Amino acid sequence: MSGVRAKILSTLAGQLGNPHGVLGKGVAFVLNRGNKALIAAAVDAATGATVADIGFGGGVGLELLLAREATAVVHGVEISPDMLARARSAYAREVAAGRLRLTAGSMTDLPFADDSLDAAITVNTIYFVPDLDAACAELARAVRPGGKVVIGIGDPEAMAGMPFTAYGFTLRPVADVRAALERAGCTVEHRQLPSRPIPTHLLVAEPN
């Protein structure tokens, strides 16, 4: 039974990092529902007319960014081909109008020129990035000085109590994430959010 349980938890963890296939459709729904409050807080912190959601998953961040300002250009970056296809279908009108631009990419290889974004958000993604310094440096590179890099994460101590995080997750102390952003040349504000059942954190960084 323990082997079956481990396989189930490993599959779930893999889907959370890269939703795909039939199961990925259900995971996208769960991600949208479970992460919406934290994503909404990240969207509120990300000001500007050219904003990216990195690792947008189920797409609720794209929806919130598009609804915020009719003239904004929203970029969505995803490693999952299935989530990209899902977003292209769900937001076909916005894509056709040029308001939404969807691209395959990773946290450590973003498809943006230097200083080309006013802001970038990424929520519950850094658990799946082996090189945190490289990811933070890449975010700081793409966002203009004075813009906003917003990283949202669940509280690592609380998440460590969830059985699936033992499979493929890297749970880093909030202080380590903040330090990586500072090493990337950012001034960082830490906001704690009283979410349930897991407290969450927003790190709002401004590239210098």
Side-chain angles (χ1 to χ4, degrees), residues 176-190:
D176 287 4
V177 182
R178 179 171 189 158
L181 286 165
E182 290 173 342
R183 285 192 292 272
C186 297
T187 301
V188 185
E189 176 191 355
H190 175 205

Side-chain angles (χ1 to χ4, degrees), residues 31-101:
L31 289 172
N32 278 347
R33 183 172 181 177
N35 294 338
K36 189 168 185 177
L38 181 55
I39 293 171
V43 167
D44 287 344
T47 56
T50 305
V51 183
D53 186 351
I54 313 300
F56 58 78
V60 70
L62 302 177
E63 177 186 348
L64 294 173
L65 288 167
L66 287 165
R68 187 176 65 179
E69 187 176 344
T71 59
V73 175
V74 176
H75 294 267
V77 179
E78 249 296 336
I79 62 170
S80 167
D82 287 6
M83 292 300 100
L84 280 166
R86 184 178 188 273
R88 289 189 180 109
S89 175
Y91 302 105
R93 182 179 300 178
E94 290 82 0
V95 170
R99 290 195 59 223
L100 177 61
R101 302 173 185 178

Side-chain angles (χ1 to χ4, degrees), residues 98-123:
R99 290 195 59 223
L100 177 61
R101 302 173 185 178
L102 300 170
T103 315
S106 71
M107 292 275 289
T108 54
D109 187 18
L110 295 175
F112 303 117
D114 294 357
D115 304 336
S116 59
L117 302 173
D118 294 315
I121 70 170
T122 188
V123 175

